[in-house]
Amino acid sequence: MAPFPDEVDVFTGPHWRMKQLVGLYCEKLSKTNFSNNNDFRSFLQSLCATFKEFKMHEQIENEYIIGLLQQRCCTVYNVHSDNKLSEMLSLFEKGLHSVKFYLMLYMSLCIVRNC
């Protein structure tokens, strides 16, 4: 009888990336000048892109990995639900849209008033 094939490590690489992103944002938080509109907008855009990456990570796990785990262990159900990432991503996208709107309004007022 042939030995079982080595398992593919689907945990370390993707979860290392998620940990790397969290570390990156801890650093960005300390370096972002929140009183500067460009810095703040750049931070929000970058954070929004990161949440999209988190969401994609969760979707891949839900579609491919959890199914394999469920086949191996019939007692695993809804282990990796969305964990509110969709809701958080939506909030960031709305916030980014609001920041853009208020920046445009502010710039328009400055032009009118010759600030």
Side-chain angles (χ1 to χ4, degrees), residues 83-102:
N83 293 327
K84 304 231 182 231
L85 279 174
S86 296
E87 186 178 330
M88 289 171 57
L89 182 57
S90 175
L91 287 172
F92 274 106
E93 288 172 339
K94 287 177 185 176
L96 185 58
H97 179 73
S98 295
V99 167
K100 287 179 184 177
F101 171 77
Y102 286 113

Side-chain angles (χ1 to χ4, degrees), residues 50-63:
T50 298
F51 272 100
K52 287 180 181 178
E53 188 172 341
F54 277 134
K55 175 77 173 149
M56 188 183 326
H57 171 89
E58 292 296 315
Q59 285 175 332
I60 290 168
E61 284 185 338
N62 287 337
E63 291 178 27

Side-chain angles (χ1 to χ4, degrees), residues 13 21 40 48-49 58 78 112:
L21 288 170
F40 183 56
C48 188
E58 292 296 315
N78 295 322
V112 169

